[in-house]
Amino acid sequence: MFGRIFALVLKEFLALLKDKRTRLVLIGPPLIQLIVFGYAATFDLKNVPFAVYNEDRGSAARELFADFDGATSFTPVAQITHESEIAPLIDGKQVLMVIHAGPNFSTELAADRPAPLQVIVDGRNSNTAMLAINDASVIVDRFNTAWAQSHGGATPPAHIQMRAWFNPNLESRWFFLPGIVGILTLLLTMLVTALSVAREREQGTFDQLLVTPLRPVEILIGKTLPGFLIGMVEASVIMVAAVFWFKVPLLGSLLTLYTGIALFLLSGVGVGLMISSFAATQQQGLLGAFIFMVPAIILSGFATPIRNMPVLVQDITLFNPMRYFLLVLRGVFLEGMPFDLLIPQFWPMALIGVTAFGIAGWLFRHRMY
């Protein structure tokens, strides 16, 4: 028995290693995913952009803000002179955090009274917001200790007052569930489309399809529509559950949201059809879909901020439709962003979709003959 098992195992290894494509699948994707996970999947917070709103002209506020300027976790990008400047900076994602010292900050410290320091964070990404607040608290604690030692204070002189915009309670569910819409929609759409043409080839019905009066472009459209419609229904069901069951707010318009869904499905179906046109068997199509989906999810900003990734990896995310779709989902759900502000996210998804369909069409025609 053991001899037969050993012979079978040896045969399977030889079959795998003799196939050039299989060797590539065994070696290439794991290395790529290792690099993606190693560099992109990190919760370390670095270079968080923040703005300073300092109404106090005393030395205490300057010392505290100097500590923030020198911290590796934070990068100052703006000096605010009026409260009205806060909203545009956070809305436009130019800053993740605004630190506000009131006009009596130094006076309260000198009188050995608690001095409030207001920290306003972008709560759309609750994980990043909490990490930023924790790092800010560490800096304030160090400042408190140094101030108490140098001025003989008995109580902590400064304390943080927190405000989170777009997600006041920093509920992670509000952050993750809109992203789940994108992940599950991509998963189902890719599986449906990535196996469509490959299944025809594997079952031997592809030649029968070619002798029908249908033109290649019509066959491609016929292969595209089922995945598109299934993805639209899937996204709708998940959104209904998110809003009515999990109580995630939907502040934007449905027209804007479904425009983003349609463009995302266009890009997802295009990539899936491209994989299916290239694959000769369903197994190859499934592996191709998996190889695309895992990096796409990791590089989308779903769990870890894109700004924390290396510059080269950030450039790679520009080719990922999930990156843009997550911004649309969270913008419409949590911010109520209007259509015109999301155009910078719409056109890259449309461009990726058109390019993927062009490549899929070329592969389809090339492999027909």
Side-chain angles (χ1 to χ4, degrees), residues 80 82-93 98 165-166:
I80 295 176
H82 194 270
E83 186 177 351
S84 61
E85 301 176 43
I86 297 176
L89 288 175
I90 293 183
D91 285 346
K93 292 184 176 291
V98 175
W165 285 14
F166 309 119

Side-chain angles (χ1 to χ4, degrees), residues 7-17:
L8 181 60
V9 170
L10 181 61
K11 188 271 294 182
E12 291 297 323
F13 272 112
L14 290 175
L16 288 173
L17 296 177

Side-chain angles (χ1 to χ4, degrees), residues 64-127:
L64 177 58
F65 288 128
D67 291 341
F68 277 94
D69 291 345
T72 58
S73 300
F74 299 99
T75 301
V77 297
Q79 290 282 343
I80 295 176
T81 58
H82 194 270
E83 186 177 351
S84 61
E85 301 176 43
I86 297 176
L89 288 175
I90 293 183
D91 285 346
K93 292 184 176 291
Q94 295 173 261
V95 299
L96 178 71
M97 181 174 68
V98 175
I99 307 173
H100 174 215
N104 300 320
F105 184 81
S106 295
T107 303
E108 297 290 340
L109 290 181
D112 197 22
R113 293 194 297 265
L117 180 73
Q118 188 178 42
V119 177
I120 304 171
V121 295
D122 184 349
R124 287 170 287 194
N125 188 332
S126 57
N127 288 344

Side-chain angles (χ1 to χ4, degrees), residues 8-324:
L8 181 60
V9 170
L10 181 61
K11 188 271 294 182
E12 291 297 323
F13 272 112
L14 290 175
L16 288 173
L17 296 177
K18 284 182 178 180
D19 188 351
K20 183 179 179 180
R21 291 183 179 179
T22 305
R23 291 200 305 268
L24 183 62
V25 168
L26 290 175
I27 298 172
L31 289 176
I32 295 173
Q33 292 171 20
L34 175 64
I35 294 172
V36 169
F37 276 96
Y39 284 101
T42 173
F43 285 98
D44 296 333
L45 209 59
K46 299 178 181 178
N47 302 321
V48 173
F50 77 99
V52 172
Y53 180 26
N54 186 10
E55 293 186 289
D56 181 82
R57 299 307 172 189
S59 60
R62 289 197 298 270
E63 291 178 18
L64 177 58
F65 288 128
D67 291 341
F68 277 94
D69 291 345
T72 58
S73 300
F74 299 99
T75 301
V77 297
Q79 290 282 343
I80 295 176
T81 58
H82 194 270
E83 186 177 351
S84 61
E85 301 176 43
I86 297 176
L89 288 175
I90 293 183
D91 285 346
K93 292 184 176 291
Q94 295 173 261
V95 299
L96 178 71
M97 181 174 68
V98 175
I99 307 173
H100 174 215
N104 300 320
F105 184 81
S106 295
T107 303
E108 297 290 340
L109 290 181
D112 197 22
R113 293 194 297 265
L117 180 73
Q118 188 178 42
V119 177
I120 304 171
V121 295
D122 184 349
R124 287 170 287 194
N125 188 332
S126 57
N127 288 344
T128 305
M130 287 300 297
L131 291 172
I133 290 172
N134 291 337
D135 287 354
S137 299
V138 171
I139 295 175
V140 173
D141 289 342
R142 286 202 301 261
F143 172 80
N144 284 338
T145 302
W147 182 274
Q149 290 176 351
S150 60
H151 294 81
T155 58
H159 64 277
I160 293 179
Q161 292 181 342
M162 296 179 293
R163 287 179 59 197
W165 285 14
F166 309 119
N167 189 355
N169 296 323
L170 293 178
E171 294 188 25
S172 58
R173 180 179 295 171
W174 288 19
F175 168 71
F176 279 110
L177 280 178
I180 291 294
V181 177
I183 290 177
L184 294 183
T185 303
L186 178 67
L187 176 64
L188 188 63
T189 302
M190 289 290 294
L191 290 179
V192 170
T193 55
L195 301 179
S196 59
V197 178
R199 183 173 57 252
E200 297 281 356
R201 288 198 179 97
E202 189 172 6
Q203 294 177 350
T205 58
F206 188 64
D207 293 336
Q208 298 176 11
L209 191 63
L210 296 180
V211 299
T212 63
L214 293 171
R215 293 178 298 172
V217 64
E218 295 172 339
I219 296 175
L220 281 177
I221 294 174
K223 294 290 186 182
T224 299
L225 284 178
F228 186 90
L229 295 176
I230 291 173
M232 191 69 71
V233 173
E234 176 79 9
S236 301
V237 171
I238 300 170
M239 288 189 301
V240 168
V243 173
F244 293 101
W245 182 262
F246 295 104
K247 307 300 180 183
V248 178
L250 177 57
L251 303 180
S253 72
L254 289 176
L255 175 62
T256 304
L257 184 57
Y258 273 96
T259 300
I261 294 173
L263 292 174
F264 175 68
L265 288 173
L266 175 70
S267 59
V269 170
V271 173
L273 202 58
M274 181 176 66
I275 294 172
S276 184
S277 299
F278 184 77
T281 65
Q282 293 187 74
Q283 185 180 16
Q284 290 180 0
L286 188 61
L287 285 173
F290 177 77
I291 291 169
F292 174 81
M293 283 188 294
V294 173
I297 294 171
I298 296 298
L299 298 178
S300 66
F302 171 73
T304 56
I306 293 177
R307 67 169 66 92
N308 284 1
M309 302 176 188
V311 176
L312 177 60
V313 179
Q314 293 185 37
D315 294 336
I316 294 175
T317 64
L318 297 175
F319 301 95
N320 181 13
M322 273 285 292
R323 167 197 173 122
Y324 307 102

